[in-house]
Amino acid sequence: MCGRYTLLAEEVEILKEFGLEHQIPDYTPRYNIAPGQKVLAIIHDGDQKRAGFLKWGLVPFWAKDPKIGYKMINARSETAHEKPSFKNLLKQKRCLIVADSFYEWQRTDNGKQAKRISLKERKLFAFAGLWDKWKQDEEELYTCTILTKKANTFMEPIHDRMPIILPKEQQDNWIEPVKWEPEEAHDFVTQLTLDDLDAYNVSDYVNSAKNEGPECIQSLT
């Protein structure tokens, strides 16, 4: 799964990396982004790419209770195209969720060890995400989920699942403003290749979503 990540880049770096023309209102770098919080996402509205904030934890438009979002921070890519909550979103509500590393907790003989994981060759990257709009009376929510897959060889010793990180050359393809069949989206993410990853141990300070700051990413070695 993917339950915590970072985005430390300055706004100008994000605009340049993703080819965005407009500034990002209220953007602040973050050391410990957690479910239920606002996350920076990019969509294509048919005319241009736009960046804004979505709440992490998908609330499908048909949900009766928005609390369902806390159970839907991730979507399994292997079956998303078959699930009512996700398959229609794969058609035309695909988004980029911007990050520069993520955390995972490895089981050890001494308990769980927090690790920070990033790409070796790229500072900024994007998770493959899905988004939806939920409305009830006067309340509106724009929410998202991160697609995950079975861990690759690098991640297997750490955790059995991992987020889908889009290759740089496939980011725009993922959010292109065309309608896909759910099976097409499934095939797209299945065939993706991944850049090499790197990881190092961090302290249990990051374990609490309330904690924020450089201590979250400080190496233990």
Side-chain angles (χ1 to χ4, degrees), residues 77-93:
S77 62
E78 297 92 338
T79 57
H81 63 297
E82 302 169 344
K83 302 294 184 181
S85 300
F86 307 124
K87 65 180 184 180
N88 287 326
L89 305 184
L90 285 168
K91 292 181 180 180
Q92 54 190 1
K93 287 189 175 180

Side-chain angles (χ1 to χ4, degrees), residues 2-8 27 29-41 52-57 73-74 96-105 115-117 124-127 144-146 163 206 211-212 216-217:
C2 178
R4 212 76 66 75
Y5 69 94
T6 71
L7 179 53
L8 305 178
Y27 172 73
R30 291 286 313 279
Y31 288 87
N32 197 6
I33 301 170
Q37 298 177 355
K38 296 291 186 179
V39 301
L40 182 63
F53 291 94
L54 302 171
K55 185 176 181 180
W56 186 9
I73 65 169
N74 293 159
L96 307 177
I97 298 175
V98 184
D100 51 26
S101 74
F102 64 97
Y103 299 106
E104 195 52 83
W105 282 260
K115 289 181 173 287
R116 185 188 183 205
I117 301 149
L124 275 165
F125 57 81
F127 300 124
C144 64
T145 188
I146 294 174
V206 76
N211 291 336
E212 179 74 27
C216 292
I217 64 169

Side-chain angles (χ1 to χ4, degrees), residues 46-62:
D47 294 317
Q48 62 183 342
K49 290 186 286 186
R50 293 193 292 116
F53 291 94
L54 302 171
K55 185 176 181 180
W56 186 9
L58 187 77
V59 181
F61 76 92
W62 45 260

